[in-house]
């Protein structure tokens, strides 16, 4: 694991951010963590962007008593993929989340009350504009890379297309240029689960609407897995403590979804879940453009793409479409299809399948810089 103790930091920007919707949001607080040290000319910074319900706690522990390290601890630390003897690694919590950055669970300074549903709808592009405020504050002129999977990969794409002069490369894993109708439909059903929980109260709840949010998380969790991984983990096994013909008896896979769903209620805010799901549905790297080629025209940095064979949420053909568009433009795009049975979550669970390729890519970027 990452050997150093870490602390969560935060910064508030007393500025107004104009959102894609035309709304204005400010002031803005961003939570973030850093691993390793910036060098003298601040040229060794890597930004890791988290996925949907992630946070800034990428690696390490907050104290010796901590039982659980950060969510991608396996790739951060001396000698690891993100070698902290070489790189300064930064991870910030996205706008709209509930882990320290400004979101619907935050207090609106103008009213003294939580934003709840008065919080404006945000996009991934808005999240990246807020991230840029942080990178500017840290005095970093150019990031070595922006690396992320799923919604994190979308952020990397936004850096590459919106701020091409601020990054030397991007690493994009398990990411779609625009979620499909099927992906949007699944998020819609998850939203209905929350909307239909009577304790949600149109976003004005005092306690998380546990049944609705647990169900929404269960729906989302299914999309992160695959048929093969679920068969291997659960098969058709029935819970030993339930009778086979007990109507409310559960298969092991049902118990798993219930357990994870209700645990999620204790750590994530329902309104934040809704807002980030909306941001995912709205995502389109070609937003405001006529085509992917037009969207990728400003890109100057090489981009390394990874797709995973069993990912049915953001399937490989979507990644291939992006790599092909960049190649057609004469841009540097590297594409790797990784065999995996772990579905969409493969980028989190099987880092060893892509780490050597990313390591080589970053070494070539370093030489160019």
């Amino acid at each position: 694991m990452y050997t150093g103790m870490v602390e969560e930091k935060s910064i508030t920007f007393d500025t107004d951010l104009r959102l894609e919707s035309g709304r204005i949001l400010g002031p803005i607080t961003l939570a973030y963590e850093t691993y390793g040290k910036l060098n003298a000319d601040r040229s060794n910074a890597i930004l890791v962007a988290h996925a949907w319900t992630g946070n800034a706690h990428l690696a390490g522990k907050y104290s010796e008593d901590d039982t659980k390290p950060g969510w991608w601890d396996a790739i951060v630390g001396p000698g690891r993929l993100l070698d902290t003897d070489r790189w300064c690694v930064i991870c910030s919590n996205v706008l709209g989340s509930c882990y320290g950055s400004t979101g619907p669970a935050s207090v609106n300074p103008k009213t003294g009350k939580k934003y709840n549903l008065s919080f404006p709808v945000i996009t991934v592009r808005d999240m990246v504009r807020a991230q840029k405020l942080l990178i500017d504050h840290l005095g970093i002129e150019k990031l070595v890379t922006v690396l992320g999977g799923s919604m994190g990969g979308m952020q990397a794409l936004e850096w590459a297309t919106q701020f091409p002069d601020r990054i030397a490369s991007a690493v994009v894993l398990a990411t779609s240029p625009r979620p499909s109708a099927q992906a949007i439909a699944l998020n819609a059903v998850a939203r209905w689960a929350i909307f239909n929980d009577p304790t949600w109260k149109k976003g004005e709840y005092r306690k998380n609407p546990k049944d609705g949010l647990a169900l929404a998380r269960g729906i989302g969790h299914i999309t992160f897995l695959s048929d093969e991984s679920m068969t291997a983990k659960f098969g058709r096994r029935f819970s030993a403590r339930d009778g086979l013909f007990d109507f409310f008896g559960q298969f092991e896979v049902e118990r798993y979804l219930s357990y994870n769903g209700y645990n999620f209620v204790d750590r994530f805010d329902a309104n934040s879940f809704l807002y980030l799901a909306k941001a995912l549905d709205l995502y389109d790297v070609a937003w405001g453009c006529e085509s992917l080629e037009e969207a990728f025209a400003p890109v100057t940095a090489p981009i390394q793409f990874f797709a995973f064979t069993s990912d049915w949420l953001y399937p490989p053909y979507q990644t291939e479409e992006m790599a092909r568009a960049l190649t057609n433009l004469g841009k540097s795009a590297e594409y790797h299809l990784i065999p995996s049975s772990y579905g969409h979550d493969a980028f989190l669970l099987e880092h060893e399948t892509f780490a050597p390729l990313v390591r080589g890519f970053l070494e070539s970027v370093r030489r160019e810089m």
Side-chain angles (χ1 to χ4, degrees):
M1 62 167 288
Y2 177 69
T3 54
M5 294 295 111
V6 296
E7 62 174 339
E8 184 182 79
K9 307 167 187 175
S10 69
I11 183 168
T12 298
F13 299 98
D14 292 318
T15 185
D16 288 336
L17 187 68
R18 180 174 290 277
L19 306 174
E20 284 294 298
S21 65
R23 298 275 299 276
I24 302 294
L25 180 65
I28 292 166
T29 297
L30 292 181
Y32 69 102
E33 293 183 13
T34 59
Y35 313 85
K37 295 181 179 180
L38 284 169
N39 58 14
D41 61 1
R42 299 176 183 262
S43 63
N44 67 331
I46 288 175
L47 177 66
V48 176
H50 68 74
W52 186 357
T53 58
N55 55 30
H57 189 36
L58 174 67
K61 296 182 178 182
Y62 293 130
S63 71
E64 294 290 351
D65 299 328
D66 233 346
T67 58
K68 190 175 182 181
W71 54 270
W72 220 355
D73 186 78
I75 71 168
V76 180
R80 295 193 169 184
L81 173 58
L82 301 183
D83 187 345
T84 47
D85 288 337
R86 170 179 287 187
W87 312 115
C88 175
V89 182
I90 303 161
C91 186
S92 71
N93 186 222
V94 297
L95 196 66
S97 185
C98 56
Y99 285 125
S101 294
T102 300
S106 304
V107 173
N108 182 345
K110 297 180 177 65
T111 65
K113 299 179 181 179
K114 285 186 178 181
Y115 281 103
N116 293 330
L117 296 196
S118 70
F119 194 75
V121 169
I122 57 166
T123 67
V124 175
R125 191 163 295 175
D126 295 327
M127 297 173 192
V128 169
R129 286 179 180 146
Q131 280 176 348
K132 182 177 176 292
L133 294 176
L134 173 63
I135 298 305
D136 289 345
H137 167 76
L138 294 174
I140 299 165
E141 290 294 324
K142 180 171 279 194
L143 292 159
V144 175
T145 200
V146 182
L147 179 152
S150 194
M151 192 180 82
M154 295 174 183
Q155 293 165 66
L157 289 171
E158 290 301 299
W159 274 97
T161 56
Q162 302 302 307
F163 305 107
D165 60 329
R166 300 299 299 274
I167 68 169
S169 67
V171 179
V172 178
L173 302 104
T175 296
S176 172
R178 66 187 79 77
S180 66
Q182 177 178 254
I184 294 169
L186 289 162
N187 278 352
V189 175
R191 281 192 290 270
W192 291 350
I194 295 172
F195 295 160
N196 289 327
D197 186 323
T199 67
W200 181 61
K201 298 181 180 179
K202 296 185 177 179
E204 295 296 325
Y205 51 87
R206 291 189 177 182
K207 290 185 178 180
N208 243 355
K210 64 177 185 177
D211 291 334
L213 182 55
L215 176 55
R217 176 62 172 180
I219 294 166
H221 201 71
I222 293 168
T223 70
F224 306 152
L225 306 175
S226 71
D227 176 55
E228 189 176 350
S229 66
M230 293 178 84
T231 298
K233 188 167 186 175
F234 308 109
R236 289 181 50 82
R237 292 189 300 278
F238 209 78
S239 170
R241 75 181 194 184
D242 292 329
L244 183 63
F245 295 103
D246 176 355
F247 186 75
F248 291 101
Q250 292 184 319
F251 286 93
E252 286 294 343
V253 68
E254 293 178 276
R255 287 176 56 79
Y256 171 81
L257 290 173
S258 177
Y259 174 80
N260 278 278
Y262 282 98
N263 273 358
F264 184 69
V265 172
D266 295 330
R267 68 177 180 85
F268 210 82
D269 174 67
N271 285 341
S272 289
F273 183 93
L274 293 170
Y275 273 84
L276 296 183
K278 188 69 173 180
L280 285 168
D281 290 349
L282 288 172
Y283 185 68
D284 185 349
V285 70
W287 181 271
C289 299
E290 294 294 326
S291 64
L292 271 181
E293 283 77 9
E294 183 182 342
F296 285 143
V299 171
T300 57
I303 302 181
Q304 187 180 48
F305 291 98
F306 291 90
F308 299 86
T309 52
S310 57
D311 184 353
W312 61 277
L313 180 62
Y314 298 152
Y317 78 85
Q318 296 181 355
T319 303
E320 291 164 10
E321 181 186 11
M322 292 189 285
R324 187 165 53 249
L326 283 161
T327 301
N328 290 342
L329 290 168
K331 311 283 185 179
S332 178
E334 185 180 307
Y335 171 67
H336 300 280
L337 179 60
I338 305 295
S340 174
S341 64
Y342 280 91
H344 186 64
D345 264 354
F347 78 94
L348 289 172
L349 301 175
E350 294 186 300
H351 63 277
E352 67 279 357
T353 63
F354 58 82
L357 295 163
V358 176
R359 192 188 301 271
F361 179 71
L362 291 180
E363 185 60 32
S364 67
V365 170
R366 186 191 66 81
R367 286 196 300 268
E368 288 295 320
M369 291 181 70

